[in-house]
């Protein structure tokens, strides 16, 4: 195994339209890293001999380097005729690095390809379709169906699988069991129980609050989860896939109720809190509930111990069904320019096998994509992960697929509308106006994408 850690201060021009994502030259200034001589995004590559060198770019280098080194060592032991060259790239630099290589050459054979960046890469014709390989492999029928569907949906709407899922960082409702027991409250497994607890656990005069709401960076995804979870609407688009359901009257009503918690059952500082501040506030104070994901579980254990809190799936709605919006699923893809696709696939198949997928997700604290890996002992001991895995695997949860494939999705869901959501919390904008504005932008982006795809 050859290991190199790449770093760069490169920047990539933001794609602001579907037309840009589908072929306009990107404003890239970086030099590709880990160049193995392969071509750019349009290069057809070759199957190769199934032996020799495979270059792998990790999309979370540093954070996940140690576990990938273990997986690669196991793979090379099982496949002595294949040498994996590991290139660790920081998550914040990964997309621009790949975009640079798509335009200038030097793509790896295999790379991390999560839902959030998948559409941009596939639109540039950089990724190898994997449906047939998966169908003919030992992984067929062994991968979480919702994760596979999330990656298919994120690929651009053509139903093609360009990335094999490795994990999901599922949303979790954390709650303080000690505070709930003291107040005689039931676990917040339903939205009604959630709102009851938020009110009963609040005593602003003592700086005690039932909930901490996310009003700063990353707030839109959490608000959407609360909206669709309460409304029970199971699709982000109408039947014709032309208009979003985000401003459906049921979602408007749900957001009104959720936003009304601000300052009534939450700290005033929440309007500016991103996940780091929100998590730190919950860990150090007397706040009853927190919505985040599995990634903060260990922080809570360190701050509170294992006896003072639980992490459970999102509450169920009035229908008794749980509806959640999709969390970005991570995965592994083969770049079309690879000259050794057969060996690259062997590496992906090995890395997502039960033993290796379990090893990766135990390290990451996330839900395994391999359904056999999801049954392992470590998951049974990590209750939030176990419950999240069960909810994703037992059919009790409907996932609303967010349109990660839209080139404007990040702009719409962050820069354009996070300030507006803050206005809703502060009572300066109605929930309906906020959602109507967001819906108009989404419908326009969807129409533009549909036109380009057609």
């Amino acid at each position: 195994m050859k290991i190199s850690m790449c770093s760069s201060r490169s920047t990539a021009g933001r794609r602001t339209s579907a037309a840009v994502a589908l072929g306009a030259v990107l404003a890239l200034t970086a030099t590709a890293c880990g160049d193995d001589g392969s071509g750019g995004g349009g290069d057809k590559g070759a199957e190769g001999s199934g032996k020799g060198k495979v270059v792998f770019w990790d999309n979370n280098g540093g954070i996940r380097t140690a576990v990938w080194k273990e997986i690669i060592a196991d793979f090379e032991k099982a496949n002595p005729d294949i040498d994996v060259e590991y290139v660790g790239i920081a998550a914040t630099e990964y997309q621009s690095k790949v975009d640079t290589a798509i335009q200038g050459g030097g793509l790896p054979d295999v790379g991390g390809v999560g839902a959030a960046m998948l559409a941009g890469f596939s639109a540039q014709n950089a990724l190898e379709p994997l449906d047939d390989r998966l169908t003919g492999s030992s992984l067929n029928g062994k991968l979480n169906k919702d994760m596979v569907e999330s990656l298919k949906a994120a690929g651009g709407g053509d139903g093609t699988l360009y990335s094999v899922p490795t994990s999901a960082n599922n949303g979790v409702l954390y709650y303080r069991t000690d505070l709930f027991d003291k107040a005689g409250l039931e676990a917040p497994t339903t939205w009604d129980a959630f709102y009851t607890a938020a009110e009963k656990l609040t005593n602003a005069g003592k700086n005690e609050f039932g909930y901490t709401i996310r009003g700063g960076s990353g707030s839109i995804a959490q608000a959407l989860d609360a909206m669709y979870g309460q409304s029970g609407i199971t699709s982000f688009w109408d039947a014709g896939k032309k208009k979003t359901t985000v401003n459906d009257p049921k979602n408007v009503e749900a957001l009104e109720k959720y936003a009304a918690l601000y300052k009534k059952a939450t700290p005033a500082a929440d309007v500016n809190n991103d996940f780091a501040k929100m998590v730190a506030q919950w860990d150090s104070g007397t706040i009853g509930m927190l919505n985040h994901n599995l990634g903060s579980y260990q922080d809570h254990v360190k701050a509170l111990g294992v006896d003072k809190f639980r992490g459970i799936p999102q509450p169920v709605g009035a229908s008794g069904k749980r509806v959640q919006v999709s969390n970005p699923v991570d995965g592994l893809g083969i770049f079309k320019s690879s000259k050794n696709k057969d060996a690259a696939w062997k590496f992906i198949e090995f890395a997502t096998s039960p033993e290796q997928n379990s090893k990766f997700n135990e390290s990451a604290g996330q839900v395994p994509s391999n359904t056999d890996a999801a049954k392992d002992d470590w998951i049974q001991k990590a209750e939030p992960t176990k419950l999240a895995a069960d909810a994703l695997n037992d059919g009790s949860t409907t996932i609303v697929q967010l349109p990660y494939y839209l080139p404007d999705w990040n702009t719409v869901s962050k820069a354009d509308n996070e300030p507006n959501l803050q206005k809703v919390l502060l009572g300066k904008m109605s929930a309906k106006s906020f959602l109507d504005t967001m819906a108009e932008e989404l419908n326009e982006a969807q129409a533009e994408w549909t036109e380009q795809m057609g």
Side-chain angles (χ1 to χ4, degrees):
M1 172 179 59
K2 299 175 182 177
I3 299 175
S4 63
M5 299 295 291
C6 279
S7 62
S8 169
R9 293 176 182 165
S10 62
T11 57
R14 179 189 293 274
R15 297 182 195 82
T16 56
S17 71
V20 174
L22 286 166
V25 177
L26 299 173
L28 300 166
T29 61
T31 300
C33 137
D35 192 337
D36 67 338
S38 61
D43 192 324
K44 293 183 179 179
E47 283 298 304
S49 65
K51 303 178 181 179
K53 185 175 77 168
V54 171
V55 178
F56 166 51
W57 284 10
D58 175 12
N59 60 343
N60 201 359
I63 303 297
R64 302 282 179 251
T65 296
V67 69
W68 275 121
K69 286 171 65 175
E70 290 184 31
I71 293 171
I72 290 170
D74 289 346
F75 174 76
E76 291 180 337
K77 184 177 180 180
N79 298 270
D81 52 1
I82 301 176
D83 175 45
V84 178
E85 180 179 333
Y86 172 90
V87 181
I89 301 172
T92 54
E93 299 177 350
Y94 187 77
Q95 182 159 348
S96 64
K97 192 77 65 176
V98 174
D99 282 336
T100 299
I102 289 172
Q103 298 301 316
L107 284 166
D109 299 287
V110 179
V113 183
M117 63 185 74
L118 202 159
F121 296 163
S122 64
Q124 296 176 81
N125 198 32
L127 296 171
E128 179 79 1
L130 300 177
D131 297 89
D132 289 344
R133 295 180 195 271
L134 179 59
T135 299
S137 82
S138 61
L139 297 174
N140 191 34
K142 294 294 185 179
L143 298 177
N144 180 281
K145 292 180 181 179
D146 283 326
M147 294 189 202
V148 172
E149 182 56 37
S150 288
L151 289 180
K152 282 188 175 184
D158 62 357
T160 301
L161 182 70
Y162 293 106
S163 180
V164 174
T166 55
S167 58
N169 196 1
N170 209 44
V172 176
L173 177 60
Y174 293 104
Y175 73 98
R176 290 284 298 269
T177 52
D178 55 344
L179 300 182
F180 271 68
D181 289 344
K182 185 179 179 180
L185 291 166
E186 297 179 358
T189 54
T190 67
W191 282 102
D192 285 345
F194 166 83
Y195 282 108
T196 296
E199 179 181 354
K200 283 198 171 185
L201 292 175
T202 297
N203 186 334
K206 293 184 178 181
N207 200 34
E208 297 172 353
F209 298 96
Y211 185 59
T212 174
I213 198 169
R214 189 167 181 170
S217 177
S219 59
I220 300 297
Q222 183 171 305
L224 291 174
D225 219 9
M227 287 161 42
Y228 282 90
Q230 293 174 81
S231 71
I233 295 171
T234 57
S235 175
F236 196 78
W237 302 102
D238 64 7
K241 294 193 174 182
K242 292 183 178 180
K243 292 186 177 181
T244 180
T245 58
V246 76
N247 61 335
D248 182 283
K250 291 181 180 178
N251 277 335
V252 173
E253 181 182 359
L255 181 59
E256 288 172 344
K257 188 172 184 180
Y258 184 70
L261 291 173
Y262 175 65
K263 287 182 73 174
K264 177 183 175 184
T266 80
D270 281 358
V271 71
N272 293 311
N273 281 355
D274 59 12
F275 88 90
K277 293 176 183 175
M278 189 174 61
V279 167
Q281 180 176 260
W282 191 72
D283 285 347
S284 63
T286 54
I287 297 173
M289 296 177 291
L290 159 77
N291 273 117
H292 194 232
N293 56 47
L294 293 168
S296 61
Y297 174 64
Q298 291 300 333
D299 292 331
H300 308 322
V301 171
K302 291 176 184 176
L304 302 170
V306 295
D307 298 327
K308 291 185 178 180
F309 79 97
R310 288 184 72 202
I312 61 175
Q314 286 286 69
V316 299
S319 67
K321 301 290 186 180
R322 179 181 298 104
V323 177
Q324 289 184 219
V325 300
S326 54
N327 277 272
V329 175
D330 208 2
L332 295 171
I334 297 175
F335 287 96
K336 189 174 288 188
S337 58
S338 169
K339 303 300 191 295
N340 202 0
K341 294 176 185 175
D342 187 33
W345 175 253
K346 288 178 182 177
F347 177 65
I348 290 179
E349 192 173 24
F350 183 86
T352 47
S353 64
E355 180 182 353
Q356 303 300 327
N357 189 237
S358 180
K359 179 186 296 183
F360 177 83
N361 283 286
E362 183 176 11
S363 171
Q366 297 178 351
V367 179
S369 60
N370 191 298
T371 52
D372 288 337
K375 301 171 186 176
D376 281 359
D377 288 345
W378 69 267
I379 291 184
Q380 312 310 311
K381 298 173 184 176
E383 187 190 35
T385 306
K386 178 185 184 300
L387 294 176
D390 288 346
L392 290 175
N393 287 312
D394 65 9
S396 65
T397 302
T398 300
I399 303 295
V400 177
Q401 301 295 342
L402 297 181
Y404 299 116
Y405 60 87
L406 291 178
D408 288 341
W409 170 248
N410 282 338
T411 302
V412 172
S413 64
K414 293 183 182 295
D416 284 1
N417 285 292
E418 284 180 351
N420 283 343
L421 183 56
Q422 289 179 319
K423 292 179 182 178
V424 174
L425 296 179
L426 294 168
K428 297 180 179 180
M429 187 177 195
S430 71
K432 185 176 186 306
S433 293
F434 163 70
L435 293 176
D436 283 345
T437 298
M438 190 173 177
E440 184 178 353
E441 294 180 15
L442 287 165
N443 293 340
E444 182 179 346
Q446 177 77 345
E448 189 175 40
W449 177 261
T450 301
E451 181 181 354
Q452 294 296 329
M453 289 295 290

